[in-house]
Amino acid sequence: MNPELKLTKPYPFTRLRALLKGAKLPEGKPHISLSLGEPRHALPTDIATCIKENLKLLEKYPPTQGTPELREAISNWLLRRTGAKVDPDTQILPTNGSREALFSFPQVIIDRADSPYVVMPDPFYQIYEGATILAGAKPWFAPCAAENDFKMDITKVPEEVLKNTALVIVCSPNNPTGKVLNLEDWKVLFEMSEKYGFVIGSDECYSEIYFDESKPPLTSMEAARKLGKENFKNLIIFSSLSKRSNAPGMRSGFVAGDADLIKPYLLYRTYHGSAMSGVFQKASIVAWNDEKHVKENRRLYREKFEAALPLIQESLKVEMPDAAFYLWAKTPIDDQEYTRQLYEKEGVTVLPGSFLAREDAQGKNPGTGYVRIALVATVPEVKEAAQRIADFKI
């Protein structure tokens, strides 16, 4: 048995089930779950039609590198979205969603003989930590706390850590805080990467969930282009159709960036056997080439935030996020106790913030005292859940 498996922590939803074990839902109030960040809007019709029309592709092995047509579609989307020109042959690799890539990419670039660090935001998406441990590296948790506007501050990581850092994972828009890095933030990250030689892995799976059509969140590639770093040296982005196109079950995403990093990652994936289904490659082309369904997706999220936020603010301290579909709300009591009581009294499930974070170098868990509320349910369900949260009194 791989001994490093014993170093991993239980997944947040495993801990949530344990927390709610034995708790009883209130009578007369149907359960509404706002804990899991799984999109629940309908799969776009054009994508579904494409899947049905290409089932014959299940009779063939798909190419690990993805079809040229899919890489071209991704390249064209990146150009439209970020203004960056990305070579579809050397700088793009389709993956089975962003989660699979976020786990497998560190296995390629980390030399476990060095026992390096991977710096990550805290709270964080749990794959970051698991991938780090199983690659033989050590996680360093950089707090995203109120005192630094809920954003990771790389300048506060000790120099002795940075000198032995192989990878810095960035999540912008952030899960769970909803914060977006600005150009100055990226400038600092790029300068630190040049100084210490670490790779930047930018998790951007929420980049297309925002609220003002005229102000999409700044992406790492757009920042790199504006800062004159269009070769994307030591930069890899992770993106996905799960949130953008309401297609989590397709497991369709990509990595893009530094060609010198894409090449060994392709070699790894060739052995790993992780090629995306040919059916979903075809459907992904349809998805990346269309923005109409993405705009409708954003409209639905806007409607939910506009309805829910004022109600939730009646009982919890919470602000509108920059992007993504989460609210990061301060609780009046311990976050785990709040979660259990809300479940028992109002029939609403949220996720304790402490389950999403680890103690930092100062021994503080920056998720303690917060809950993550995922506005992924239907508009009526979100409105109902928000009203119940407003009515819930400690």
Side-chain angles (χ1 to χ4, degrees):
M1 183 70 71
N2 185 342
E4 288 160 347
L5 276 172
K6 296 179 181 179
L7 302 177
T8 61
K9 305 293 193 299
Y11 214 65
F13 300 104
T14 301
R15 298 179 66 186
L16 179 62
R17 286 192 293 271
L19 175 68
L20 299 180
K21 186 177 182 180
K24 294 182 179 180
L25 288 165
E27 293 184 7
K29 292 183 178 180
H31 177 231
I32 302 175
S33 177
L34 302 180
S35 58
L36 182 64
E38 179 181 47
R40 297 186 210 163
H41 299 165
L43 180 71
T45 302
D46 288 350
I47 296 176
T49 299
C50 183
I51 291 172
K52 294 175 184 177
E53 291 176 347
N54 287 281
L55 292 177
K56 289 284 288 182
L57 288 173
L58 292 175
E59 299 171 1
K60 300 179 179 180
Y61 285 118
T64 301
Q65 193 175 7
T67 64
E69 293 80 10
L70 175 55
R71 298 196 308 275
E72 189 71 31
I74 294 170
S75 176
N76 290 337
W77 178 77
L78 285 168
L79 180 60
R80 294 193 303 272
R81 176 64 173 83
T82 73
K85 295 180 180 179
V86 187
D87 187 336
D89 293 326
T90 64
Q91 294 182 306
I92 293 173
L93 187 59
T95 63
N96 290 308
S98 58
R99 174 175 176 166
E100 178 263 322
L102 284 162
F103 177 82
S104 58
F105 182 74
Q107 316 308 312
V108 175
I109 67 162
I110 288 173
D111 183 348
R112 64 176 55 240
D114 297 334
S115 192
Y117 286 99
V118 173
V119 176
M120 62 192 69
D122 189 22
F124 58 94
Y125 182 38
Q126 303 299 289
I127 298 300
Y128 307 161
E129 180 188 46
T132 296
I133 292 170
L134 290 169
K138 298 173 291 189
W140 181 272
F141 303 109
C144 299
E147 51 266 29
N148 56 338
D149 195 28
F150 299 103
K151 294 193 292 186
M152 180 176 74
D153 186 353
I154 190 70
T155 66
K156 293 183 180 179
V157 178
E159 186 168 26
E160 60 268 24
V161 172
L162 291 171
K163 286 179 178 178
N164 194 31
T165 292
L167 174 66
V168 171
I169 300 176
V170 179
C171 184
S172 178
N174 183 269
N175 168 18
T177 71
K179 287 294 180 178
V180 172
L181 300 186
N182 59 35
L183 190 61
E184 182 58 30
D185 295 325
W186 282 112
K187 183 174 183 291
V188 171
L189 275 163
F190 291 144
E191 288 175 349
M192 299 282 270
S193 173
E194 289 179 3
K195 180 177 180 179
Y196 295 103
F198 58 71
V199 172
I200 298 173
S202 182
D203 180 358
E204 300 180 8
C205 73
Y206 295 96
S207 71
E208 304 314 291
I209 309 298
Y210 53 91
F211 311 106
D212 184 343
E213 288 295 327
S214 67
K215 296 180 180 178
L218 179 70
T219 70
S220 59
M221 280 193 165
E222 184 180 3
R225 178 180 60 80
K226 290 181 176 180
L227 294 169
K229 301 179 182 299
E230 295 191 64
N231 65 345
F232 312 124
K233 174 68 174 175
N234 277 343
L235 173 65
I236 291 289
I237 73 164
F238 302 82
S239 190
S240 168
L241 290 174
S242 295
K243 277 72 176 178
R244 175 189 181 271
S245 298
N246 305 312
M250 276 175 50
R251 311 309 298 156
S252 176
F254 69 85
V255 297
D258 188 340
D260 290 337
L261 298 174
I262 294 289
K263 185 176 180 180
Y265 187 44
L266 173 59
L267 175 62
Y268 175 89
R269 293 178 65 78
T270 301
Y271 281 95
H272 192 224
S274 51
M276 187 195 308
S277 162
V279 178
F280 293 148
Q281 291 197 41
K282 280 283 189 180
S284 298
I285 294 170
V286 173
W288 290 117
N289 284 336
D290 178 60
E291 292 296 327
K292 185 177 179 181
H293 74 274
V294 189
K295 291 181 179 179
E296 172 61 13
N297 198 31
R298 287 194 287 266
R299 185 193 68 76
L300 289 170
Y301 283 120
R302 279 198 302 273
E303 183 178 346
K304 287 188 277 192
F305 273 93
E306 288 167 1
L309 184 59
L311 288 170
I312 294 174
Q313 285 176 327
E314 292 180 15
S315 63
L316 297 177
K317 183 179 180 181
V318 60
E319 301 297 332
M320 186 72 176
D322 295 337
F325 51 52
Y326 299 116
L327 289 173
W328 187 236
K330 190 82 175 70
T331 56
I333 59 174
D334 175 77
D335 55 298
Q336 296 181 42
E337 182 61 28
Y338 177 91
T339 298
R340 187 178 172 96
Q341 287 194 32
L342 180 68
Y343 179 85
E344 291 184 312
K345 295 180 181 180
E346 299 294 340
V348 176
T349 306
V350 295
L351 188 64
S354 57
F355 289 1
L356 291 166
R358 300 283 182 265
E359 289 187 355
D360 61 20
Q362 283 70 48
K364 296 180 180 180
N365 182 320
T368 298
Y370 290 86
V371 291
R372 191 187 75 176
I373 304 172
L375 300 190
V376 293
T378 65
V379 173
E381 285 178 318
V382 165
K383 290 180 179 178
E384 172 64 22
Q387 185 61 63
R388 294 189 204 175
I389 292 172
D391 293 340
F392 176 48
K393 306 300 180 186
I394 303 299

